[in-house]
Amino acid sequence: MKRKINRMFIGVTTAAILVTLLLVTFIYYEFFQRQILEDLRGYTLLAGECTSKEDMVKMGELLAQENMRLTVIDLEGVVLYDTEADSSVMDNHGDRPEIQEALKNGTGSTVRRSATLSRNTFYYADRVPSGRIIRISKDASSIYSILQSALPITGLILLLLVAVSFFIAHFLTEKFIAPIKKMAGNLDEANGATDYGTDYEELAPFLATIQEQHRNLLKSAKMRQEFTANVSHELKTPLTAITGYAELIETGMASEKDIQHFAHGIHNAATRLLTLINDTIRLSELDSGNEQIETEMLDLYKMAEENIELLQMNAGKHDVTLALHGTPCRISGNRQMIEELIYNLCDNAIRYNKEGGRVDVTVRPAGGGCELCVRDTGIGIPKEHQERIFERFYRVDKSRSKSTGGTGLGLAIVKHIVSLHGAKLQLNSEPGQGTEITVTFRSVD
Ligand code: ADP
């Protein structure tokens, strides 16, 4: 990147210098040409004042000292006098463009290039009232020879400027890249773009984004590590129980009555293992799936009805009354996920209830969409735990959760499903009074 910026900078600078030099030379040469023709015009006016031949010869000698040539021509083009050649042997000048122009308009001028391109001859002709044409010419360097003679000094200046621009480019790119280099070295420690020591405020959001992405990556890596550690820990307890019971049976230390008890223990632990594995798989499925989920039109009320039917027996076991209220309401959602969501919320409301308690599920239209509200008269959740119960494996009362077959993953799954559906989750809970969890789905269109 650095080399590329350097090369570009030098390239642009060199091109700019060359174009400027050429333009300046052309403009300067244009002025130079105009000035020469202006000078020649002055001299022809002066020569036109000469009335006698001697005056004209004197004038011609003076002009010759200044490297100018004077020619006097009559209106037929015949050369009457010339400072450089014998006028009697000179051919007719009537066809020269400047003479033709002077015959027509009173004055005329031309620039003729020499064969070598190195010199130009400037001609200025003026028709004087005495019926003659006075022409004065002068040789001057052509633009090519000016460019050629200026080449060494131009080249030197160019080299100097390129060297200067090389240093500037080097300095600028170093300065530009320094915060990026610095950031790469201390992505974790730097706090905000100012820490990278950059003057470029445009770079700050870019650096901040990279840093945030880096932090997110670290955070999710840490979370995954914690999750794996938690899963392993959770798996260990039922497996230890299973191994323990099996060992007791294997060594023949258990009586007939104990065996039945141990088998029950093994059964419980194995069921727990299965639930845990299922929940873990489900969470990782939800994690790895992309943001786009397969949806269909669902009647939330009908689905709640079906789920409640399934859970009635469970509610009966806990001496809890489970009832559904509300009206049919359509949402766009993933059937399996919505089933899981309703099941998990109702299951929790039953498990964390009190004997003789109630669970009321309400489905109704709200805010253009649908609202699912699960309210229980259970033990409630203390304020300080309310924020965290949606985290994986977070449980207010670990033993109660375990004894009722909880894994600590149910609400984490709920939160995931809610966010995949773009829905909103709200929790209201009062310890000792009960809990109310409301999920609001967006309108179908
Ligand atoms: P678990 O499998 O332990 O029930 P969840 O993720 O479903 O895991 O819930 C996390 C914790 O939140 C539970 O352990 C419990 O302490 C608390 N909780 C969830 N729902 C309720 C509720 N309806 N009433 C009281 N506490 C609840």
Side-chain angles (χ1 to χ4, degrees):
M1 176 175 161
K2 217 164 96 181
R3 214 176 290 167
K4 208 170 167 187
I5 296 177
N6 267 338
R7 246 186 277 145
M8 256 171 63
F9 195 85
I10 293 169
V12 170
T13 316
T14 314
I17 294 167
L18 274 176
V19 169
T20 314
L21 273 175
L22 278 174
L23 273 176
V24 166
T25 312
F26 275 110
I27 292 168
Y28 161 75
Y29 193 70
E30 193 56 40
F31 276 119
F32 173 70
Q33 270 187 328
R34 238 185 274 163
Q35 192 55 51
I36 289 182
L37 286 173
E38 197 54 34
D39 287 351
L40 291 181
R41 193 178 81 89
Y43 286 123
T44 48
L45 282 177
L46 219 69
E49 295 295 318
C50 300
T51 43
S52 65
K53 178 144 186 182
E54 291 102 66
D55 281 352
M56 191 63 84
V57 172
K58 238 186 229 159
M59 183 76 194
E61 280 165 2
L62 276 173
L63 288 171
Q65 279 171 18
E66 296 296 319
N67 292 323
M68 277 181 268
R69 177 182 179 183
L70 171 70
T71 316
V72 183
I73 302 141
D74 71 10
L75 295 183
E76 264 73 51
V78 178
V79 180
L80 303 173
Y81 171 71
D82 187 85
T83 49
E84 279 183 15
D86 182 357
S87 58
S88 59
V89 296
M90 284 170 79
D91 55 359
N92 191 293
H93 270 41
D95 58 348
R96 306 292 198 272
E98 70 278 6
I99 305 294
Q100 282 185 352
E101 211 183 316
L103 280 169
K104 221 163 114 194
N105 307 326
T107 60
S109 64
T110 351
V111 181
R112 278 202 274 280
R113 302 187 199 292
S114 71
T116 57
L117 291 178
S118 67
R119 296 197 70 76
N120 283 342
T121 312
F122 293 77
Y123 293 91
Y124 192 88
D126 191 9
R127 198 173 73 189
V128 290
S130 54
R132 285 169 302 167
I133 292 172
I134 310 274
R135 187 186 78 170
I136 298 180
S137 63
K138 182 183 165 83
D139 277 4
S141 305
S142 75
I143 188 155
Y144 303 103
S145 66
I146 287 180
L147 275 176
Q148 229 168 27
S149 58
L151 208 60
I153 184 81
T154 314
L156 205 71
I157 292 172
L158 194 70
L159 270 176
L160 246 157
L161 288 177
V162 166
V164 169
S165 71
F166 175 80
F167 281 112
I168 294 175
H170 184 75
F171 170 75
L172 282 179
T173 44
E174 271 298 328
K175 206 169 167 214
F176 182 72
I177 281 168
I180 301 173
K181 269 192 189 162
K182 200 173 159 194
M183 185 180 66
N186 66 342
L187 259 182
D188 300 332
E189 292 114 60
N191 192 13
T194 41
D195 262 24
Y196 307 125
T198 171
D199 296 338
Y200 305 107
E201 48 187 279
E202 294 84 355
L203 213 58
F206 164 71
L207 298 179
T209 309
I210 297 228
Q211 198 190 26
E212 198 187 324
Q213 278 177 355
H214 178 70
R215 280 198 185 129
N216 285 344
L217 272 176
L218 286 180
K219 204 171 132 195
S220 76
K222 196 173 160 230
M223 265 173 67
R224 231 171 293 143
Q225 207 176 13
E226 273 175 16
F227 183 63
T228 316
N230 273 329
V231 171
S232 317
H233 180 78
E234 294 287 332
L235 290 174
K236 231 162 138 184
T237 323
L239 275 174
T240 314
I242 293 173
T243 323
Y245 289 133
E247 203 178 339
L248 284 174
I249 298 170
E250 192 182 25
T251 50
M253 281 167 73
S255 66
E256 196 70 23
K257 209 176 120 223
D258 282 343
I259 288 180
Q260 206 182 0
H261 170 68
F262 292 164
H264 180 70
I266 291 176
H267 185 193
N268 270 350
T271 312
R272 188 168 163 65
L273 264 183
L274 217 58
T275 324
L276 201 66
I277 289 169
N278 275 337
D279 278 0
T280 312
I281 291 175
R282 190 69 193 125
L283 253 184
S284 71
E285 268 173 10
L286 290 172
D287 267 347
S288 64
N290 48 29
E291 298 295 299
Q292 220 54 38
I293 50 166
E294 266 182 45
T295 58
E296 56 184 301
M297 292 309 296
L298 303 167
D299 181 354
L300 196 57
Y301 184 84
K302 200 155 162 253
M303 288 186 71
E305 201 171 29
E306 286 163 8
N307 253 280
I308 281 172
E309 230 174 86
L310 273 178
L311 281 162
Q312 279 302 356
M313 210 166 76
N314 195 15
K317 259 198 250 170
H318 287 81
D319 193 15
V320 169
T321 311
L322 179 58
L324 175 66
H325 316 271
T327 49
C329 196
R330 282 157 68 78
I331 61 161
S332 157
N334 179 285
R335 182 174 286 276
Q336 195 196 347
M337 289 186 191
I338 300 297
E339 263 170 16
E340 274 176 283
L341 177 124
I342 302 173
Y343 183 91
N344 281 340
L345 291 180
C346 294
D347 184 49
N348 278 355
I350 295 168
R351 286 193 294 118
Y352 300 106
N353 220 311
K354 293 174 191 158
E355 237 171 79
R358 286 189 61 84
V359 174
D360 290 290
V361 181
T362 314
V363 176
R364 62 171 168 229
C370 291
E371 184 184 281
L372 168 81
C373 173
V374 180
R375 176 201 274 161
D376 64 61
T377 56
I379 57 171
I381 304 157
K383 272 266 168 306
E384 65 271 25
H385 295 288
Q386 289 184 6
E387 280 255 310
R388 304 200 56 191
I389 54 163
F390 296 95
E391 287 174 19
R392 294 160 187 207
F393 295 112
Y394 191 84
R395 287 172 277 210
V396 179
D397 179 351
K398 209 162 180 164
S399 64
R400 177 159 182 150
S401 161
K402 279 191 176 174
S403 67
T404 54
T407 57
L409 294 175
L411 287 183
I413 294 177
V414 166
K415 191 179 167 190
H416 231 310
I417 294 175
V418 166
S419 104
L420 284 174
H421 281 78
K424 264 197 233 127
L425 193 64
Q426 209 190 335
L427 169 78
N428 258 319
S429 186
E430 195 63 52
Q433 301 292 314
T435 304
E436 182 186 80
I437 295 182
T438 312
V439 182
T440 316
F441 292 90
R442 289 184 304 202
S443 75
V444 173
D445 33 64

